[in-house]
Amino acid sequence: MQSLVMKPISRFKCYSISLQRTSFPLSLIAIFLGRSSFSSVAAAGWRTEPSALPRNPLSIVNDFTMYCYQRDLGKAMEALDSMQRHKLWADSITYTELIKCCIAHGAVKQGKRVHQHVFSYGYEPKTFLINTLLNMYAKFNLLDEAQTLFDQMPEKNFVSWTTMIAAYSNAELNYKALEMLIMMLRDGVRPNMYTYSSVLRACEGFSTLKQIHCCIIKVGLELDVFVRSALIDIYCKWGELKAALYIFDEMVTSDLVVWNSIIGGFAQNSDGDEALNLFIRMKRSGFWADQSTLTSVLRACTSLALLELGRQVHVHVIKFHRDLVLANALLDMYCKCGSLKDANCTFTRMIVKDVISWSTMIIGFAQNGYSRKALELFEEMKASGTKPNYITILGVLFACSHAGLVKDGQYYFESMKMLYGIDPGREHYGCMVDLLGRAGKLEEAMKLIHKMKCEPDAVTWRTLLGACRVHRNMDLAEYAAKKVLSLNPHDAGTYILLSNLYANTQRWDDVESLRKTMKHAGIKKEPGCSWIEINKQVHAFILGDKSHPQVNSIYQELNQIIWRLKAEGYVPDTNFVLQDLEGEQMENSLAYHSEKLAIVFGMMCLPEGKTVRIRKNLRICGDCHDFAKLLAKMENRSIVIRDPIRYHHFQGGICSCGDYW
DNA sequence: TTAGGGTTAG
């Protein structure tokens, strides 16, 4: 029997405790006082009596235990080395504290040293301790080490299996995660709520998800809040929003994470409206938004181009100023809402920037028509030491393609592998096809498609088709269109593009034939729609729409504006009319495009000098582009239009896209 | 005593 005398060096009382095992003492104190009490005792300066036990094995273990609870990794490792030399071991709980400390510090080497120590000289650690080591390897993403250790375990319990399943799920090795679940079941170990909440993420097929969901219901674990949020999340990831909402609405109690799951799910599935509705419900239920909530709300604002609402969210973002993910979402919101001034300000103020911050700003400049700024920022990014990734290069090529910077684009494309180690992907080729095609180099664009290392998809061919439309190359357009439709026979956009081309070359019979094909196949053109946010309310306009309460005054104002613009030299560009119409009829079919109605409504409602910001679902037509340019000059007003691909900032008779879109 | 859910750029 050995004894340990502990002396307080502060105001605490002295304790004398008799002990029987070297690996037992301070853990007993910890349990006796409660772990937090022990931690505070250790932190307050308790120490072993040095004169009493200078090299006593017990004091070595005590030192080790104390350093582990103090989270002093360096000293704990020194003490561990000393224990190893003396063939001493501490208790499992103490090792767990040390392993947690290794995980927190990303200390892989030290973690492996602990692993080696607890198996040294034939020592047999408990299953509980091996589980902690498994978890450590999982957190370090050292899955081979975890699997080897798992295979060597004399006894595996449900935590061992669940740890491995979670490890493979987190690493997106979904097949392995599901395989582990099957093996777990075959081993006769019952999965619990921890297991199911981990394995759900690994469901790659909808039928697998359904099967696991059935198992969850059968064993009555659907009520567990973690399982339920995992279910909501995976259904959202599969785009099954109705199912996700059903699971969410069934919940009796919920917590903030579940709210975040459902709000995030809708925001990520481009249903910003429902995401914002759910956010309002969440607030009414008494929850306060955290970083995750605000990130999803900003994403919803971004998809709906709600700048004013986004600004309100910004106020709440300030208290989480250290959250990089949230800061990036805010930056993206300002970029996508076309407010480059706010975006630049946000970007400049960010103390820490990662590759996503830089890429967001580069893409933001490129989409808003500031290609040169995008390329300058790319150089700045490299100078800062941030390594570009796949998406950054995509943004750079996007900047080149949208400004017709053929030589720059070719340089970045050809050197991306050598300089940044990034293989060109389908999207990079797509940008180059766009760049070459819209610069009139259609043959080169075609050759590049044939040289692609990956198979061109419908988007690639559609890009070429878009360039053919600009340069009125009918033969290549028909070829590209056939390619698109062979890959995606229901692509309404391609029918419309081809129809536009036929219309531009007065091939009205072909226009009619296409329309019949579409009708026969049940393919419908998405109607052009524009949105504008006025005083926190969103107003939607559809081509020729007359449902708005102020419809009469809007149409009256639009007609007057067109009349005044014509006096200034505006000539409607009837190349964008699809029907076989003549004269005034052709002009009328252009006059009431949704963006024109939205612009006019914005000018009627917004104070003088306030920028009119429009979001629309289809690419802007040439006539509306001319209309917006001339109107911005005539009324001395900035107009910003965001279409699905890029942004147009109209000011003083010119557009930021330089008429190149 | 060990294992589980939500957020950012194309």
Side-chain angles (χ1 to χ4, degrees):
Chain A
M1 184 174 290
Q2 300 175 36
S3 69
L4 166 69
V5 179
M6 296 188 72
K7 262 192 172 179
I9 57 170
S10 61
R11 63 187 183 279
F12 294 99
K13 288 181 182 176
C14 180
Y15 292 92
S16 176
I17 296 171
S18 295
L19 302 157
Q20 293 183 325
R21 286 174 48 197
T22 53
S23 63
F24 199 55
L26 291 191
S27 301
L28 182 68
I29 300 170
I31 294 163
F32 180 69
L33 295 174
R35 192 191 298 179
S36 59
S37 308
F38 177 74
S39 300
S40 42
V41 168
W46 283 75
R47 58 181 173 81
T48 53
E49 176 56 65
S51 57
L53 297 165
R55 296 307 310 158
N56 186 308
L58 188 58
S59 74
I60 297 170
V61 178
N62 289 341
D63 281 352
F64 172 72
T65 308
M66 183 175 68
Y67 293 136
C68 286
Y69 279 95
Q70 283 179 338
R71 298 290 173 104
D72 188 333
L73 185 59
K75 286 186 177 171
M77 293 310 296
E78 280 176 24
L80 183 118
D81 287 340
S82 189
M83 289 201 305
Q84 177 86 14
R85 283 195 297 275
H86 290 82
K87 296 187 182 178
L88 296 169
W89 290 270
D91 65 297
S92 299
I93 299 168
T94 307
Y95 287 122
T96 301
E97 288 300 316
L98 179 57
I99 291 165
K100 278 182 194 168
C101 191
C102 289
I103 295 171
H105 288 87
V108 179
K109 198 176 154 190
Q110 290 88 335
K112 285 185 171 179
R113 175 80 187 86
V114 178
H115 175 183
Q116 185 253 326
H117 165 74
V118 298
F119 278 94
S120 59
Y121 302 112
Y123 187 86
E124 291 177 3
K126 292 177 183 173
T127 303
F128 147 70
L129 177 54
I130 306 177
N131 287 344
T132 311
L133 284 168
L134 281 181
N135 182 48
M136 178 191 78
Y137 283 123
K139 294 291 184 292
F140 290 151
N141 203 27
L142 297 171
L143 300 188
D144 287 342
E145 281 87 341
Q147 184 67 57
T148 305
L149 180 59
F150 178 79
D151 292 339
Q152 290 167 352
M153 286 178 82
E155 280 179 30
K156 302 174 180 73
N157 65 14
F158 55 98
V159 177
S160 325
W161 286 101
T162 302
T163 305
M164 291 306 295
I165 288 169
Y168 283 122
S169 279
N170 287 333
E172 295 180 10
L173 293 167
N174 299 331
Y175 176 78
K176 290 289 290 179
L178 292 166
E179 196 178 63
M180 291 300 276
L181 178 71
I182 292 167
M183 287 163 71
M184 179 184 188
L185 292 164
R186 283 192 177 142
D187 216 38
V189 183
R190 283 180 64 182
N192 66 3
M193 59 278 267
Y194 286 81
T195 323
Y196 283 119
S197 60
S198 295
V199 81
L200 277 167
R201 216 171 330 136
C203 293
E204 280 191 337
F206 196 58
S207 62
T208 313
L209 169 59
K210 287 282 185 190
Q211 285 177 47
I212 291 182
H213 193 173
C214 286
C215 291
I216 290 168
I217 295 169
K218 194 178 167 186
V219 293
L221 288 172
E222 208 191 19
L223 295 174
D224 181 83
V225 74
F226 283 75
V227 171
R228 206 165 262 245
S229 64
L231 277 169
I232 290 168
D233 190 48
I234 189 73
Y235 274 102
C236 286
K237 283 197 170 62
W238 277 94
E240 296 286 334
L241 298 180
K242 270 189 180 176
L245 200 55
Y246 184 82
I247 296 164
F248 174 79
D249 282 331
E250 264 190 326
M251 290 190 81
V252 181
T253 55
S254 88
D255 63 12
L256 182 62
V257 175
V258 181
W259 279 106
N260 288 344
S261 293
I262 195 77
I263 294 170
F266 276 91
Q268 283 159 30
N269 280 278
S270 307
D271 194 342
D273 280 326
E274 190 56 35
L276 293 176
N277 284 337
L278 284 159
F279 175 60
I280 292 164
R281 271 179 66 188
M282 185 193 104
K283 296 282 285 175
R284 284 180 185 155
S285 302
F287 287 92
W288 288 89
D290 71 356
Q291 294 99 312
S292 177
T293 328
L294 293 175
T295 304
S296 295
V297 170
L298 280 173
R299 189 172 175 146
C301 293
T302 305
S303 68
L304 298 169
L306 300 178
L307 180 61
E308 296 311 317
L309 185 61
R311 282 191 211 280
Q312 286 179 36
V313 177
H314 188 166
V315 175
H316 301 280
V317 167
I318 292 166
K319 65 180 166 189
F320 301 111
H321 67 280
R322 288 182 188 277
D323 191 303
L324 186 56
V325 173
L326 183 55
N328 286 342
L330 181 73
L331 178 65
D332 192 43
M333 184 276 293
Y334 280 126
C335 287
K336 297 268 189 325
C337 287
S339 185
L340 266 286
K341 196 178 163 190
D342 289 307
N344 213 11
C345 188
T346 303
F347 183 74
T348 309
R349 285 181 182 176
M350 286 170 74
I351 299 162
V352 180
K353 300 180 182 85
D354 65 0
V355 65
I356 295 183
S357 325
W358 288 97
S359 305
T360 303
M361 198 65 234
I362 289 168
I363 293 161
F365 275 134
Q367 285 182 322
N368 281 280
Y370 303 101
S371 292
R372 284 288 175 201
K373 281 194 174 179
L375 298 184
E376 282 168 20
L377 196 67
F378 178 58
E379 296 303 321
E380 209 182 303
M381 171 186 173
K382 286 189 289 178
S384 79
T386 308
K387 201 179 160 196
N389 67 12
Y390 188 96
I391 295 173
T392 322
I393 304 296
L394 208 54
V396 167
L397 296 179
F398 191 86
C400 297
S401 80
H402 280 265
L405 304 172
V406 178
K407 282 190 178 170
D408 296 76
Q410 280 175 326
Y411 165 74
Y412 287 118
F413 180 73
E414 283 160 16
S415 61
M416 62 187 279
K417 173 67 178 168
M418 189 180 69
L419 294 179
Y420 315 114
I422 300 163
D423 284 311
R426 192 179 282 124
E427 294 102 326
H428 297 105
Y429 279 101
C431 272
M432 289 307 293
V433 169
D434 193 42
L435 172 67
L436 294 168
R438 283 199 291 147
K441 298 173 185 293
L442 292 170
E443 291 303 321
E444 280 187 50
M446 189 68 201
K447 278 182 194 166
L448 188 68
I449 292 178
H450 288 303
K451 276 204 292 189
M452 280 172 72
K453 286 178 184 167
C454 40
E455 276 296 302
D457 65 359
V459 177
T460 318
W461 290 110
R462 242 180 100 170
T463 305
L464 184 67
L465 176 60
C468 292
R469 182 196 183 282
V470 173
H471 297 285
R472 312 244 171 127
N473 184 327
M474 277 308 301
D475 293 338
L476 197 55
E478 283 186 303
Y479 175 77
K482 279 180 186 168
K483 286 283 188 184
V484 178
L485 295 174
S486 68
L487 293 163
N488 186 4
H490 291 273
D491 187 351
T494 294
Y495 284 103
I496 300 303
L497 258 172
L498 197 55
S499 178
N500 275 330
L501 259 171
Y502 288 145
N504 288 348
T505 46
Q506 282 81 48
R507 287 170 59 175
W508 301 114
D509 290 344
D510 290 322
V511 171
E512 193 53 36
S513 168
L514 265 186
R515 281 172 180 272
K516 278 182 184 167
T517 308
M518 287 175 76
K519 195 176 175 184
H520 183 71
I523 300 162
K524 285 185 180 171
K525 177 187 178 253
E526 188 183 2
C529 190
S530 296
W531 295 266
I532 183 166
E533 183 190 14
I534 308 270
N535 294 331
K536 298 178 192 173
Q537 281 213 323
V538 179
H539 299 256
F541 295 90
I542 301 173
L543 172 72
D545 183 29
K546 301 211 169 171
S547 62
H548 195 278
Q550 290 167 258
V551 63
N552 290 335
S553 52
I554 295 169
Y555 273 73
Q556 200 176 358
E557 182 68 16
L558 176 56
N559 289 333
Q560 281 184 11
I561 284 174
I562 290 172
W563 184 78
R564 282 165 52 210
L565 282 177
K566 279 184 177 174
E568 296 285 324
Y570 166 60
V571 179
D573 186 348
T574 52
N575 278 328
F576 295 90
V577 180
L578 292 182
Q579 298 100 326
D580 183 9
L581 303 172
E582 286 184 354
E584 197 178 327
Q585 271 185 311
M586 282 177 107
E587 285 187 26
N588 284 342
S589 70
L590 286 170
Y592 306 119
H593 274 186
S594 63
E595 54 266 59
K596 289 197 181 85
L597 296 169
I599 292 170
V600 169
F601 182 65
M603 294 182 77
M604 286 164 62
C605 299
L606 293 169
E608 204 171 320
K610 182 100 174 166
T611 302
V612 176
R613 296 175 188 276
I614 310 291
R615 173 173 71 96
K616 65 168 307 209
N617 63 336
L618 302 176
R619 303 298 305 273
I620 187 170
C621 81
D623 180 60
C624 287
H625 198 265
D626 283 347
F627 173 89
K629 273 199 302 188
L630 292 169
L631 184 59
K633 186 180 180 186
M634 187 173 80
E635 296 292 318
N636 194 23
R637 168 96 78 158
S638 291
I639 299 169
V640 179
I641 299 181
R642 171 178 132 180
D643 73 23
I645 306 291
R646 62 171 304 158
Y647 304 71
H648 301 267
H649 293 248
F650 301 95
Q651 199 166 22
I654 56 170
C655 178
S656 60
C657 77
D659 300 338
Y660 194 88
W661 84 96

